[in-house]
Amino acid sequence: MGARSGIRHALWIAWKDLLDLSRNRMGLVMLILMPLFMMGMVGYIFPSNSGMSHVPVALANLDAAQGNTSLGTQFVAQLEALNNKTGMMDLSTVGSAADVKSNIQNGQQSAGIIIGSNFTSNLKTGKQADVTIVVDESNPQMSSLIQTQLTQAIGLMGTQTATYGLNQTYKTPLNYSLAQVAPYNVQTTGIVPGQTSYFEFVAPGIMGMVVMMSLMTGLPHAISYEREMGTLDGMLAAPVHRMSILGGKVIAQTTRGMMQGIMVLILSIVLFGVVIQGSIALILGILLLGVFSLVGLGILITSFTSTEETATMIMMTLTFPMMFLSGVFFPISQMPQFMQVIAQFLPLTYTISALRQVVVLGAGVPEISRDIIILFGFGIVLLSAALLAFERAMKR
Amino acid sequence: MNDVAIKATNLVKKFGDFVAVDHLSFEVNKGEIFGFLGPNGAGKTTTIRMLCTLSSPTEGSATVAGFDVAHQGNKVREHIGLVSEKMIMYDRLTAQENLRLFGELFDIPRNALRERIGELLRVVNMEKWADQQIGTFSTGMKQRINVIRALLNEPEILFLDEPTLGLDPQSTNEIRDFTRSINDDAGTTIILTTHAMTEADMLCDRISIIDYGKIVALDTPSNLKKVITGADTSVIELDVPNITPTLVSNIQSMSCTQTVTVEDETHIRVHATGDEACDNVIDTVRSGAGQIRSIHNVEPTLEDVFLYLTGHVVREQVADKVTTQEGRHGRRARSRIR
């Protein structure tokens, strides 16, 4: 019963589990569908900056023209010209502020722009003219995005108008006029080339999550199920070290989880155009380390529950908040303080943070060394506790 | 000492407050078929689990094949084979794959294992099913593979926990014959638990009758039956076509009667003491207007022995077991968590 035969036993048990899985057609289909659904849902449902196009917007021009000058109409023309370039909105003209409201209410439009009735007269008499952006509060994510984009667009139009006005009135060169109106030229640049989307943010998170979920639900299932079926007794009554049984199960479930993780990786590159900045080997390494950090928790729960049903229930209860708290979908720094504190105690947080740094920012081992050390720490602590609990549980 | 395969001393297993096994002490000799006979819940399976190192005793100790179950678990496991109540087989693996997996877990060298698997499959006439998934087999076929699985490591001691439960009569007979031949051919010591009296009677060299976690009797089947005859008790079977509850209670109230069992609509089985037992029973039935179609003074069966010793019937609980098996296991499992 040396270490070698222990490892050999573990591999045989893993072989058995994987063979079993490969013959379970329904299981295989789910294995592939789960990451596909995850990716599809998150990739398409959550809007990203570049993804905002052809948003239906109602436009109400209430401006009372003075004589034959309507600056409101000019504003609309300017807006349409800008929109033709970006294709951001689908503008449709409505008659009144009430129409804008009702169109948003009945879901025809996602936002509205109202040009105030004193638009021309205000401008002519040296006052600011009012433009109101109406947002759909039932969709906060979209409305904040539209608000930002429209404010930006209208601000840009204001700058253009003012620059042109200066140039006309004082005959100052256009460049100089622009510098007077908008003295600061703000530019944003990331540390890797190209534009990043929300998807690039979320892809590493999903990868981490799918692998963890697969392990956390798969492991208790694999062990409790065998315990209920009575087949676990067969292994326990053979001269096999308990750790080999556990090891075999962990190897099999990790393989399954990694397969799903790799599928997510491939899908995000092929379907969603995610550009992997760092090394793929490092990504797989982090995923494995993530598995190591959490596997103890899975074993602990398996040890303390005797039926598959309870084990699965506890796992679901634990993994669900973990999914949200570890920053898969939203950055942890945007969460309330107490949630940020909880997040610090979740191994998944560090897995995902490291993955994100490698995938999005092209980080190498030195940049993520802190995460690596923390994950190792979690793994060792949880695993030691779990092995003690498992040894005891097998003797009940 | 060398003739002893298993020695248990004051074995106790508690699940919370429930005492499943209550100070069991017994010895099993090498080469014998030793039966545990008793209703479900009597502690048979729990005892087996402790002997197979699947469960640690709350108190007491046991040696199996000369090794201590508590401290030399792996040594014990090398020398035993286990056929438990639930089949230790993976449905999606073929017979061959199942056997190979367990052979590897016992560290049997590859070539030897291949030969052994072939040989065992031949013995149970399953060679042509070797590469079929177990899930497609009938229960009887599965059980044959399950039994040879337990024999892969040529165990000194084979544990058979209710090996014929739920099998059709033909498979039951096959498994019983096979059990017999394993014992005859390889001299394997066999521990058999069963609630089937005839099975225990047929197979076992010695039987320990166990009820509520305690051994109530331990002897050879014929000696066990002498418990009844030796106590001057007769087992009388009557065929009465018009049984009434009054009739039964009349027999019951006789001073010589120990127990009355209504076996079916027309048959009554009476345990009664004394030389006039038979006459007395006839008188009582007649005076209660019962017609006696026939009356026999029959040889006691193990069932009678069990009834005599414990005061209750095994069969009732067996029927109960089949219907409530799920519930029982659920309860047991839950009590284990605490």
Side-chain angles (χ1 to χ4, degrees):
Chain A
M1 270 299 290
R4 267 187 63 195
S5 90
I7 292 168
R8 228 171 42 80
H9 290 160
L11 289 175
W12 272 102
I13 293 168
W15 165 83
K16 186 272 294 176
D17 273 8
L18 291 172
L19 191 64
D20 194 288
L21 175 71
S22 74
R23 291 187 184 154
N24 177 0
R25 241 178 250 145
M26 201 58 207
L28 276 184
V29 171
M30 293 315 288
L31 186 81
I32 295 164
L33 278 187
M34 209 271 263
L36 195 67
F37 281 170
M38 273 286 180
M39 297 296 285
M41 280 187 332
V42 179
Y44 290 118
I45 291 172
F46 286 91
S48 57
N49 287 351
S50 56
M52 195 176 133
S53 64
H54 298 284
V55 179
V57 175
L59 177 66
N61 184 1
L62 310 179
D63 183 27
Q66 291 197 339
N68 47 12
T69 38
S70 168
L71 294 177
T73 316
Q74 267 182 37
F75 177 87
V76 171
Q78 205 181 352
L79 184 67
E80 276 171 347
L82 185 71
N83 190 40
N84 284 345
K85 268 190 264 173
T86 61
M88 188 172 80
M89 301 173 282
D90 282 341
L91 287 167
S92 41
T93 311
V94 297
S96 69
D99 287 344
V100 172
K101 197 179 154 197
S102 71
N103 277 7
I104 292 176
Q105 262 172 351
N106 67 27
Q108 265 182 44
Q109 257 91 34
S110 305
I113 301 168
I114 301 170
I115 297 165
S117 56
N118 297 330
F119 195 86
T120 307
S121 69
N122 275 3
L123 283 178
K124 290 261 173 188
T125 54
K127 290 183 208 153
Q128 277 194 307
D130 294 330
V131 176
T132 311
I133 298 168
V134 188
V135 293
D136 175 4
E137 280 134 320
S138 69
N139 186 349
Q141 192 121 31
M142 197 66 184
S143 71
S144 81
L145 209 60
I146 291 174
Q147 198 182 339
T148 322
Q149 298 274 323
L150 274 179
T151 313
Q152 217 175 30
I154 294 169
L156 189 67
M157 283 160 58
T159 313
Q160 276 177 7
T161 312
T163 309
Y164 184 69
L166 269 184
N167 168 268
Q168 290 295 303
T169 319
Y170 302 106
K171 304 295 177 212
T172 49
L174 275 174
N175 280 352
Y176 179 75
S177 309
L178 179 62
Q180 289 298 306
V181 176
Y184 308 120
N185 177 15
V186 182
Q187 282 187 336
T188 318
T189 169
I191 55 176
V192 290
Q195 234 196 345
T196 54
S197 65
Y198 177 72
F199 202 80
E200 243 135 31
F201 168 81
V202 96
I206 294 183
M207 205 152 46
M209 189 187 73
V210 162
V211 177
M212 295 319 126
M213 290 250 288
S214 177
L215 180 81
M216 294 287 277
T217 54
L219 195 60
H221 173 87
I223 294 176
S224 311
Y225 180 75
E226 281 215 36
R227 176 149 48 193
E228 265 170 71
M229 292 304 289
T231 47
L232 191 62
D233 287 346
M235 291 192 269
L236 290 173
V240 175
H241 200 279
R242 271 68 183 134
M243 290 309 114
S244 300
I245 299 176
L246 199 55
K249 292 281 168 194
V250 170
I251 294 172
Q253 295 306 315
T254 307
T255 311
R256 194 175 77 109
M258 289 298 281
M259 267 155 59
Q260 286 189 312
I262 291 169
M263 277 209 40
V264 173
L265 192 66
I266 294 169
L267 283 177
S268 51
I269 295 171
V270 173
L271 276 186
F272 299 94
V274 170
V275 182
I276 308 290
Q277 304 289 347
S279 102
I280 294 207
L282 187 56
I283 293 172
L284 297 182
I286 295 169
L287 280 177
L288 274 176
L289 188 59
V291 167
F292 172 74
S293 72
L294 263 181
V295 73
L297 188 61
I299 298 166
L300 264 180
I301 290 164
T302 314
S303 309
F304 286 119
T305 52
S306 63
T307 63
E308 193 203 335
E309 203 186 340
T310 33
T312 311
M313 236 156 64
I314 293 177
M315 277 299 170
M316 288 306 282
T317 321
L318 278 182
T319 44
F320 195 69
M322 197 144 80
M323 219 161 78
F324 287 93
L325 286 175
S326 54
V328 174
F329 303 109
F330 308 104
I332 293 170
S333 51
Q334 284 176 15
M335 292 178 192
Q337 191 60 41
F338 78 97
M339 284 188 168
Q340 293 194 29
V341 173
I342 299 173
Q344 285 178 5
F345 293 97
L346 301 176
L348 190 55
T349 304
Y350 302 97
T351 312
I352 290 177
S353 134
L355 277 177
R356 205 162 269 157
Q357 273 168 284
V358 176
V359 172
V360 184
L361 302 181
V365 177
E367 287 86 358
I368 55 166
S369 55
R370 183 176 151 272
D371 290 323
I372 293 179
I373 291 165
I374 293 175
L375 284 173
F376 254 115
F378 268 117
I380 286 166
V381 171
L382 282 173
L383 209 56
S384 322
L387 295 187
L388 285 174
F390 185 76
E391 188 81 17
R392 284 191 50 195
M394 288 301 109
K395 284 244 165 149
R396 270 195 299 246
Chain B
M1 180 62 210
N2 277 342
D3 295 335
V4 177
I6 296 176
K7 182 178 166 63
T9 318
N10 282 319
L11 272 187
V12 178
K13 183 69 185 182
K14 291 180 186 165
F15 296 113
D17 291 337
F18 176 67
V19 184
V21 172
D22 195 355
H23 294 91
L24 284 198
S25 296
F26 58 89
E27 279 185 15
V28 178
N29 301 321
K30 275 190 182 163
E32 78 177 330
I33 301 187
F34 186 90
F36 277 112
L37 182 65
N40 191 261
K44 294 171 295 176
T45 300
T46 311
T47 306
I48 295 257
R49 289 182 65 83
M50 285 192 283
L51 296 177
C52 291
T53 75
L54 294 177
S55 172
S56 47
T58 316
E59 282 170 40
S61 63
T63 55
V64 173
F67 301 103
D68 187 277
V69 288
H71 304 108
Q72 295 168 295
N74 251 326
K75 284 284 175 200
V76 171
R77 291 190 276 268
E78 278 171 26
H79 295 92
I80 59 170
L82 168 68
V83 174
S84 71
E85 235 179 305
K86 295 175 181 174
M87 277 188 205
I88 302 173
M89 298 264 96
Y90 298 97
D91 276 357
R92 289 202 191 88
L93 267 55
T94 66
Q96 180 102 21
E97 286 163 347
N98 266 298
L99 294 170
R100 200 164 65 193
L101 168 69
F102 285 99
E104 290 288 348
L105 294 185
F106 275 96
D107 287 319
I108 302 170
R110 191 142 305 174
N111 286 332
L113 178 61
R114 194 177 305 127
E115 272 171 39
R116 180 100 181 121
I117 291 175
E119 176 194 316
L120 286 169
L121 283 171
R122 246 188 324 278
V123 173
V124 292
N125 281 322
M126 291 290 290
E127 310 110 293
K128 59 173 179 287
W129 304 98
D131 293 318
Q132 288 260 2
Q133 288 182 28
I134 292 277
T136 62
F137 289 3
S138 72
T139 320
M141 291 160 78
K142 274 190 200 173
Q143 186 67 324
R144 279 189 258 170
I145 301 291
N146 192 26
V147 173
I148 63 172
R149 189 222 70 235
L151 294 172
L152 283 167
N153 59 327
E154 302 179 65
E156 269 173 49
I157 302 163
L158 176 66
F159 291 91
L160 298 175
D161 192 3
E162 300 276 7
T164 57
L165 186 70
L167 295 188
D168 59 278
Q170 196 203 333
S171 307
T172 301
N173 284 334
E174 276 170 13
I175 295 293
R176 284 175 186 168
D177 290 346
F178 189 43
T179 307
R180 187 83 267 171
S181 69
I182 296 165
N183 180 253
D184 288 346
D185 301 346
T188 309
T189 309
I190 294 177
I191 311 296
L192 174 82
T193 79
T194 182
H195 62 268
M197 301 291 169
T198 44
E199 183 167 294
D201 205 352
M202 264 170 66
L203 291 174
C204 296
D205 296 316
R206 285 196 305 149
I207 293 172
S208 111
I209 294 184
I210 177 167
D211 196 33
Y212 295 109
K214 289 194 169 106
I215 292 180
V216 270
L218 197 173
D219 217 324
T220 61
S222 56
N223 281 347
L224 284 173
K225 288 171 193 164
K226 280 183 198 147
V227 171
I228 293 190
T229 46
D232 199 18
T233 301
S234 336
V235 179
I236 303 161
E237 198 181 58
L238 294 105
D239 183 352
V240 178
N242 58 342
I243 302 175
T244 61
T246 335
L247 199 66
V248 175
S249 70
N250 283 348
I251 304 173
Q252 187 85 66
S253 59
M254 283 161 49
S255 60
C256 65
T257 308
Q258 285 169 328
T259 51
V260 183
T261 323
V262 181
E263 297 193 301
D264 56 43
E265 278 114 58
T266 59
H267 288 86
I268 309 178
R269 203 175 178 93
V270 183
H271 288 190
T273 43
D275 294 336
E276 289 89 36
C278 205
D279 289 344
N280 292 343
V281 171
I282 294 173
D283 290 346
T284 311
V285 174
R286 283 248 175 96
S287 65
Q291 309 163 13
I292 299 177
R293 209 185 277 160
S294 73
I295 178 161
H296 300 281
N297 205 328
V298 295
E299 275 292 300
T301 63
L302 283 176
E303 193 125 15
D304 293 310
V305 177
F306 187 85
L307 176 62
Y308 180 80
L309 291 171
T310 66
H312 59 87
V313 196
V314 172
R315 233 189 308 172
E316 285 165 9
Q317 282 155 329
V318 171
D320 175 57
K321 167 194 177 116
V322 174
T323 49
T324 61
Q325 202 172 11
E326 281 309 302
R328 272 174 175 281
H329 279 285
R331 224 176 305 140
R332 174 85 57 85
R334 241 165 279 145
S335 68
R336 263 183 225 160
I337 311 168
R338 290 188 206 114

